[in-house]
Amino acid sequence: MTKNKIDINLNAEDKNGDTPIYNICSNGSLKLLKLVLNHPATENTIALRRQNSKGKTLLHVACSKGQIEVVKYILDFSYDNDLFLNFYATDMYGI
């Protein structure tokens, strides 16, 4: 039995600076997000604090789309206080 292999460049950007993982978070694809973030090939290659051309991180995108489970997973996965503080300052204070 042959396994199908799909090559996806997770760092490819569209005109807004969004990468495929932005779409995953925007659409609330929690299973796919877990698969991507926990896959050995993507270890240390996905920048959770990376901002698109509008200054939005993955956390911003998930929150703005109401993807609560994705938001929880990103926060649990990252353990990065700077990610939360950066998000909080930007959205709460308009920085």
Side-chain angles (χ1 to χ4, degrees):
M1 184 167 159
T2 306
K3 290 185 179 181
N4 294 331
K5 181 180 177 186
I6 300 174
D7 289 324
I8 299 173
N9 181 354
L10 294 173
N11 295 313
E13 296 180 4
D14 66 12
K15 65 181 178 182
N16 298 316
D18 293 345
T19 60
I21 200 159
Y22 274 78
N23 293 325
I24 291 169
C25 290
S26 177
N27 294 326
S29 305
L30 185 58
K31 271 179 118 171
L32 188 53
L33 179 64
K34 288 179 178 182
L35 178 71
V36 170
L37 291 180
N38 292 297
H39 193 281
T42 60
E43 187 175 358
N44 300 320
T45 62
I46 297 174
L48 295 177
R49 294 180 60 206
R50 182 193 168 283
Q51 297 178 350
N52 65 10
S53 62
K54 296 179 181 177
K56 302 296 181 186
T57 65
L58 297 174
L59 192 56
H60 288 113
V61 171
C63 284
S64 69
K65 298 292 184 172
Q67 305 298 353
I68 303 303
E69 294 305 313
V70 170
V71 169
K72 288 178 186 177
Y73 189 76
I74 291 171
L75 290 173
D76 287 343
F77 182 85
S78 70
Y79 293 110
D80 182 353
N81 290 326
D82 288 340
L83 173 68
F84 177 73
L85 294 174
N86 191 15
F87 164 76
Y88 182 76
T90 302
D91 281 356
M92 297 302 288
Y93 298 110
I95 297 173

